[in-house]
């Protein structure tokens, strides 16, 4: 083991909230190993406690407010 951190992989539409099954936008990597995935709603409920317990938080919930990319003219 080198001590280097593994690259963080982006969350995809296949990643689902462990609480309700909705699309996950927040990943909590636990200090003892393993991870929890949450939708934005459940992530907001649990992220503070998880962070206090030493979890590394990857929060991609800002993607919810992004405008979708538009197709170039002629591709609609």
């Amino acid at each position: 083991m080198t001590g280097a951190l593994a690259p963080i992989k982006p969350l995809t539409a296949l990643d689902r909230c462990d609480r309700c099954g909705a699309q996950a936008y927040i990943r909590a990597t636990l200090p003892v190993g393993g991870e929890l995935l949450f939708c934005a709603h459940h992530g907001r409920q649990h992220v503070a406690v998880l962070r206090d317990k030493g979890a590394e938080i990857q929060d991609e919930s800002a993607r919810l407010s992004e405008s979708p990319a538009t197709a170039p003219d002629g591709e609609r």
Side-chain angles (χ1 to χ4, degrees), residues 7-61:
I8 296 175
K9 59 184 179 183
L11 294 163
T12 71
L14 297 177
D15 293 311
R16 309 312 285 182
C17 176
D18 290 328
R19 189 81 173 113
C20 69
Q23 184 173 349
Y25 288 94
I26 298 172
R27 173 185 283 124
T29 303
L30 306 175
V32 295
E35 66 182 20
L36 296 170
L37 300 177
F38 294 107
C39 63
H41 167 77
H42 286 111
R44 282 190 297 271
Q45 287 182 333
H46 300 290
V47 75
V49 171
L50 289 165
R51 187 174 282 130
D52 288 345
K53 298 205 179 277
E56 182 177 324
I57 306 299
Q58 176 184 352
D59 186 348
E60 298 183 9
S61 60

